[in-house]
Amino acid sequence: MPVAEGKSVQQTVEILTRKLELLGAEKQGTFGVDCETYHTAPSTMGNQGQAAKLMYVMHNSEYPLSCFALFENGPCLIADANFDVLMVKLKGFFQNAKGNKIESRGTRYQYCDFLVKIGTVTMGPSARGISVEVEYCPCVVANDCWNLLMEFMQSFMGSHVPGIPSVFSNKHDSIYSPADTMVQYMELFNKIRKQQQVPVAGIR
C-alpha cells in the first residue's frame, strides 16, 4: 500500500484511522513493536567469505513478558523479557548493529470481533512507512478466516489489501501463534529498511 499521493506518512495514517472510525471502530489504547538487529561477531566466523548471520530481537506490547528472537528464514525463539540482558553477555558471539533499531507505534482499534493496529514505522527520528495489523479474534486457524479478513480490510483500505502472508502457507490448518505475527513484522521491517529512500506501507 503506497503512502497516499501528495501526503506524508502521518497524513496517510490519519486517513486510515478516520476511515476506521467512520466504520464505528473504537480506540483501545496504543501498541508498539520494536526490533533490534544483531549480527554474528567476526571472531565466530571461520571462512573469510562467510556472510554474517542476522538475528532480530523483537518486543511486542501485546506480550509484555516475552521477547522474540528470530533468524531470517529460521526459527523463532520466544523467551522471557530478560533475554535482552543475555544478549549483552553474548556480545562475543552477536553484536548489535548500532543505529539499526526500527519500531512501529500507533493506535489499537476494536471493531466488533476485529482488532486493528495502525502504526507509524520509524527508524531513528524519521517515519519510514505504515504497518496495519488485523486480527479476527474468534478464529485461531488463520486460513479459515483469510477471506473474511480480506473483505474487512477492503472496507477501509480499498484496493490496497495485501496478498496472503507467506507465514500462512507454512501453517495450513495449524493454530496461529504470536511468533507468526512477529515473523510478519520482521519481514515488513526488512522491506522498509531496504527501501529507506522511499516511504512504503506494509500490511499484514
Side-chain angles (χ1 to χ4, degrees):
M1 172 179 162
V3 172
E5 198 172 335
K7 304 285 185 188
S8 68
V9 168
Q10 196 52 46
Q11 287 169 325
T12 306
V13 167
E14 285 166 10
I15 290 167
L16 277 173
T17 55
R18 206 173 303 126
K19 284 181 180 176
L20 263 180
E21 287 168 4
L22 285 171
L23 282 174
E26 294 180 3
K27 284 185 183 178
Q28 297 278 323
T30 58
F31 80 97
V33 176
D34 65 69
C35 175
E36 296 235 30
T37 305
Y38 291 81
H39 55 81
T40 44
S43 58
T44 63
M45 296 190 305
N47 303 337
Q48 285 294 325
Q50 190 177 357
K53 286 185 178 165
L54 297 176
M55 181 170 72
Y56 304 95
V57 177
M58 304 178 71
H59 305 89
N60 187 332
S61 58
E62 296 289 307
Y63 312 102
L65 300 179
S66 298
C67 181
F68 301 84
L70 297 91
F71 289 93
E72 220 165 5
N73 305 318
C76 173
L77 167 74
I78 303 175
D80 68 26
N82 291 334
F83 188 78
D84 293 304
V85 178
L86 180 64
M87 289 308 296
V88 173
K89 294 185 185 299
L90 290 175
K91 62 184 174 196
F93 299 96
F94 286 99
Q95 294 176 345
N96 192 327
K98 298 289 182 199
N100 218 350
K101 184 173 182 177
I102 188 167
E103 58 186 1
S104 177
R105 299 200 174 278
T107 308
R108 299 165 89 250
Y109 287 90
Q110 187 83 38
Y111 176 72
C112 300
D113 287 330
F114 293 96
L115 180 61
V116 183
K117 298 174 206 162
I118 298 180
T120 302
V121 179
T122 56
M123 273 186 82
S126 56
R128 300 289 189 189
I130 300 163
S131 69
V132 179
E133 179 186 343
V134 180
E135 178 184 346
Y136 180 60
C137 301
C139 186
V140 293
V141 179
N143 283 329
D144 287 354
C145 63
W146 177 248
N147 289 336
L148 184 60
L149 282 168
M150 288 266 290
E151 192 177 319
F152 173 62
M153 286 188 284
Q154 281 169 351
S155 67
F156 67 98
M157 292 166 53
S159 60
H160 300 301
V161 172
I164 192 161
S166 57
V167 74
F168 283 21
S169 56
N170 306 328
K171 300 289 287 186
H172 299 296
D173 293 331
S174 58
I175 291 174
Y176 189 86
S177 72
D180 299 322
T181 297
M182 300 313 286
V183 167
Q184 290 176 76
Y185 270 107
M186 178 190 74
E187 290 170 352
L188 171 66
F189 289 163
N190 284 341
K191 180 181 170 186
I192 288 174
R193 275 195 192 100
K194 287 170 185 159
Q195 299 176 342
Q196 279 182 31
Q197 297 79 11
V198 185
V200 298
I203 291 96
R204 286 160 314 289

